[in-house]
C-alpha cells in the first residue's frame, strides 16, 4: 500500500467495526472500492460517523479539525451522500447522517456511478470468503422474503409486515422507483435478465425515498403507481424482498439470475439458516401432474420434479416462501404454508442495525460459522461453497 492509502485503510478498519462489517483481504481490493466512493478528505470524515444516525453538531465535535465550520462539514456530508458513501435522512426537522455498509448500502447507492473497474473490484471483494462470512454472520438478515399476493389467502392470516399491498398502503411517502442495481450491473457485463426487460423495478419508501431523491438516483411516483409496478413485478415472477423491518424502507423485486442475494442463496448448503421468511411451499402429491411449471418458476432451485414420475418435491432447506410457484400451477397443487412460529421483524432499520451490532461475532464466532458451512455442505452434498472456500481464500458468495 502507498502512504496515501493509509486514510482508506483507516476507513476500512472503521467500517469493519460497524454493524455490518467491511473486512480486509490480502489483495487490498476493498481499498479500491473505497477510493471509487471517497476522496481522501471524505474518507477521513467518514471515520467520524457510525452506524447510528447523528446530527451535524455531534459529528462536527469529532471532525472540527478537518473542516472550518459546521456548514462546510454539512456540505461535505451532503456530497458524500450523493456519491453513495453515507446515508442521510431528516429526523425531527434536522438532517442526520451515518455510515453505510457495503451491502445493503454503498453498492446499491452506486446506481449512477457504476463503472467496469468498480464492478470488477466489487465482484472480487464480494467473492472473497472474508466478506461472505461477515455478511452471513449478522444476527438478523438485512432483507426478508414475503409472498406474492396471488399465493396468499385469508386462511393464511398474513401479518401486515408480510403483505406487500399493506406495506405500501400503510407506508408514509414519498415513493421512489429506481433501476435495479443488479440488472444494471449485469447489463454492463454484457448479460441480460432472464425474467424481465424492465430496469425500474425497485421501490424506495419514506426516508430512504427522500435520500434517493436528493441523490438523483430515482424518480418520485404516487402510491398507486407504486402498487401498479409491484403488481407487474409479481406477474413477471419476481421475488419480493423488502427491508427486514415492519416499516419497509424499500421493496426489491428480484430474480435468480441477477440478484446478488438470491445467487448467494443458491450457493449456500442451507440458506434458510440465514434468511427471514414466514412461509414455505407445499405440494399436494395426489393432484400434482409433474408438469414442471413450479420448477421453472422457482428462482432459487427449491422445487424439483424428478425424471422418475414422482410429484414435485420442495426442499425446505431452500424454499423462500416467496409464492412465485403458486400462481403458475395449472392444477393448484402447490400452495404456501405458514411456518408454525412467525418471526416478527424489527420495527425500523435503526432497530435492525442495533440488534445486529449487539450480536456481532468475534473471531471465534466467524470460525464456528465457517465450520458450520463446511459441515452443512458435506451433509447436504451441496459442494459448490466448500470447493470455493478451499480455493485460496476465495468464494462465490455474492458473485453476480
Amino acid at each position: 500500500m502507498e502512504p496515501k492509502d493509509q486514510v482508506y485503510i483507516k476507513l476500512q478498519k472503521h467500517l469493519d467495526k460497524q454493524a455490518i462489517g467491511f473486512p480486509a483481504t490480502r489483495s487490498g481490493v476493498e481499498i479500491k472500492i473505497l477510493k471509487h466512493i471517497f476522496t481522501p478528505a471524505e474518507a477521513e470524515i467518514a471515520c467520524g460517523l457510525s452506524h447510528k444516525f447523528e446530527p451535524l453538531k455531534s459529528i462536527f465535535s469529532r471532525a472540527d479539525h478537518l473542516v472550518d465550520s459546521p456548514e462546510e462539514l454539512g456540505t461535505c456530508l451532503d456530497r458524500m451522500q450523493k456519491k453513495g458513501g453515507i446515508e442521510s435522512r431528516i429526523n425531527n426537522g434536522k438532517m442526520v447522517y451515518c455510515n453505510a455498509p457495503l451491502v445493503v448500502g454503498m453498492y446499491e447507492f452506486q446506481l449512477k456511478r457504476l463503472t467496469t473497474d468498480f464492478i470488477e473490484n466489487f465482484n472480487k471483494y464480494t467473492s472473497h470468503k472474508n466478506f461472505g462470512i461477515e455478511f452471513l454472520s449478522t444476527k438478523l438478515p438485512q432483507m426478508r422474503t414475503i409472498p406474492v399476493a396471488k399465493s396468499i389467502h385469508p386462511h393464511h392470516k398474513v401479518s401486515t409486515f408480510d403483505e406487500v399491498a399493506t406495506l405500501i398502503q400503510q407506508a408514509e411517502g414519498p415513493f421512489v422507483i429506481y433501476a435495479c442495481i443488479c440488472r444494471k450491473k449485469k447489463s454492463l457485463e454484457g448479460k441480460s435478465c432472464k425474467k424481465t426487460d424492465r430496469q425500474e423495478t425497485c421501490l424506495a419508501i419514506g426516508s430512504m425515498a427522500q435520500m434517493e431523491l436528493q441523490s438523483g438516483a430515482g424518480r418520485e411516483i404516487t402510491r398507486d403507481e407504486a402498487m401498479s409496478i409491484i403488481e407487474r413485478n409479481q406477474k413477471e415472477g419476481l421475488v419480493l424482498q423488502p427491508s427486514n423491518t415492519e416499516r419497509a424502507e424499500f421493496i426489491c423485486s428480484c430474480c435468480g439470475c441477477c440478484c446478488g442475494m438470491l445467487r448467494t442463496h443458491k450457493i449456500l448448503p442451507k440458506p434458510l439458516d440465514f434468511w427471514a421468511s414466514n412461509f414455505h411451499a407445499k405440494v399436494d402429491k395426489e393432484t400434482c401432474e409433474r408438469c414442471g411449471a413450479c420448477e421453472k418458476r422457482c428462482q432459487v432451485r427449491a422445487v424439483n420434479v424428478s425424471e422418475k414420475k414422482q410429484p414435485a418435491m420442495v426442499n425446505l432447506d431452500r424454499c423462500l416462501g416467496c409464492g412465485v410457484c403458486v400462481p403458475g400451477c395449472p392444477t393448484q397443487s402447490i400452495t404456501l404454508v405458514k411456518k408454525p412460529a412467525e418471526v416478527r421483524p424489527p420495527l425500523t432499520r435503526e432497530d435492525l442495525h442495533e440488534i445486529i451490532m449487539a450480536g456481532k461475532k468475534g473471531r471465534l464466532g466467524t470460525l464456528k460459522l465457517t465450520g458450520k458451512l463446511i459441515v452443512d455442505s458435506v451433509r447436504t452434498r451441496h459442494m459448490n461453497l466448500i470447493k470455493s472456500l478451499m480455493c485460496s481464500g476465495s468464494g462465490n458468495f455474492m458473485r453476480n
Side-chain angles (χ1 to χ4, degrees):
M1 292 290 178
E2 299 178 11
K4 63 182 180 180
D5 291 337
Q6 290 304 311
V7 67
Y8 293 107
I9 295 173
K10 179 182 176 181
L11 178 56
Q12 176 271 311
K13 292 179 178 178
H14 172 73
L15 293 176
D16 197 33
K17 295 176 182 177
Q18 305 307 311
I20 298 96
F22 189 71
T25 66
R26 287 187 178 182
S27 72
V29 67
E30 66 279 2
I31 303 303
K32 295 180 180 179
I33 290 174
L34 294 179
K35 284 183 175 181
H36 174 84
I37 301 172
F38 302 92
T39 66
E42 291 167 348
E44 191 72 58
I45 291 172
C47 290
L49 278 64
S50 77
H51 70 284
K52 296 181 179 181
F53 282 102
E54 294 180 288
L56 186 63
K57 183 178 179 180
S58 298
I59 300 169
F60 183 69
S61 67
R62 298 190 293 273
D64 57 356
H65 62 294
L66 300 172
V67 292
D68 293 332
S69 66
E71 292 74 22
E72 183 183 349
L73 177 61
T75 299
C76 291
L77 291 172
D78 290 340
R79 183 175 64 247
M80 292 159 66
Q81 182 270 313
K82 289 180 180 179
K83 291 168 62 180
I86 63 173
E87 293 189 50
S88 67
R89 63 175 51 179
I90 298 175
N91 279 356
N92 300 319
K94 292 184 178 181
M95 190 69 75
V96 292
Y97 306 88
C98 73
N99 286 133
L102 180 63
V103 180
V104 175
M106 289 187 284
Y107 164 61
E108 286 76 11
F109 301 153
Q110 297 308 301
L111 187 61
K112 296 286 188 178
R113 305 181 74 247
L114 277 183
T115 65
T116 54
D117 285 345
F118 178 80
I119 290 172
E120 181 181 349
N121 292 329
F122 178 80
N123 284 344
K124 185 175 181 180
Y125 182 64
T126 55
S127 296
H128 198 280
K129 77 172 184 180
N130 289 6
F131 172 82
I133 295 298
E134 175 65 29
F135 185 78
L136 294 175
S137 66
T138 59
K139 187 172 183 179
L140 292 176
Q142 297 177 71
M143 298 172 71
R144 58 198 177 92
T145 302
I146 61 174
V148 297
K150 287 192 175 182
S151 67
I152 55 177
H153 302 281
H155 72 269
H156 283 119
K157 298 180 180 179
V158 179
S159 298
T160 55
F161 50 78
D162 271 340
E163 189 172 20
V164 67
T166 305
L167 281 176
I168 294 175
Q169 293 299 334
Q170 293 185 353
E172 294 184 8
F175 299 90
V176 167
I177 194 69
Y178 55 98
C180 171
I181 185 78
C182 297
R183 292 192 191 97
K184 182 171 182 178
K185 174 176 172 291
K186 208 75 172 177
S187 177
L188 290 174
E189 292 174 319
K191 302 173 185 177
S192 59
C193 179
K194 298 175 182 177
K195 295 297 295 183
T196 182
D197 58 2
R198 293 182 299 128
Q199 291 284 334
E200 289 188 331
T201 58
C202 295
L203 181 69
I205 303 170
S207 59
M208 184 164 282
Q210 291 174 342
M211 186 176 68
E212 296 288 6
L213 287 175
Q214 290 169 5
S215 64
R219 60 184 179 89
E220 187 170 1
I221 59 175
T222 66
R223 192 185 306 270
D224 287 343
E225 287 174 320
M227 280 298 308
S228 177
I229 290 171
I230 291 294
E231 287 172 4
R232 187 172 176 185
N233 293 349
Q234 294 176 84
K235 287 180 181 178
E236 291 189 342
L238 301 180
V239 175
L240 301 179
Q241 296 197 103
S243 54
N244 192 16
T245 53
E246 286 192 40
R247 297 173 183 170
E249 294 193 2
F250 60 83
I251 301 175
C252 290
S253 297
C254 306
C255 59
C257 55
C258 301
C259 173
M261 295 292 186
L262 296 188
R263 289 173 67 85
T264 299
H265 181 287
K266 289 189 285 188
I267 290 167
L268 295 172
K270 295 182 68 176
L272 266 293
D273 289 346
F274 308 96
W275 228 260
S277 173
N278 282 317
F279 295 84
H280 66 79
K282 182 180 180 181
V283 175
D284 185 333
K285 297 180 180 179
E286 300 299 321
T287 59
C288 176
E289 295 183 346
R290 302 174 293 279
C291 67
C294 53
E295 183 176 12
K296 290 178 182 178
R297 288 180 66 85
C298 182
Q299 298 295 301
V300 293
R301 303 170 189 161
V303 188
N304 177 256
V305 180
S306 72
E307 298 178 0
K308 298 180 180 180
K309 297 186 178 181
Q310 296 294 318
M313 300 290 292
V314 177
N315 185 337
L316 296 185
D317 283 336
R318 313 197 71 79
C319 178
L320 291 170
C322 66
V324 167
C325 57
V326 174
C329 180
T331 58
Q332 299 182 332
S333 298
I334 193 163
T335 56
L336 282 192
V337 175
K338 194 170 186 179
K339 295 177 182 178
E342 181 180 71
V343 177
R344 192 179 193 93
L347 185 62
T348 66
R349 201 153 52 95
E350 290 95 323
D351 296 330
L352 172 66
H353 284 178
E354 285 301 315
I355 293 171
I356 292 174
M357 192 69 182
K360 195 172 174 69
K361 290 180 172 62
R363 180 170 175 78
L364 180 59
T366 57
L367 287 173
K368 287 181 177 179
L369 177 56
T370 303
K372 169 185 163 50
L373 290 169
I374 293 173
V375 170
D376 288 345
S377 295
V378 173
R379 288 178 175 173
T380 62
R381 298 181 181 179
H382 193 84
M383 304 300 286
N384 290 340
L385 181 61
I386 193 171
K387 290 176 181 177
S388 61
L389 282 170
M390 296 302 182
C391 294
S392 303
S394 295
N396 292 307
F397 285 96
M398 291 196 67
R399 192 65 178 264
N400 282 322

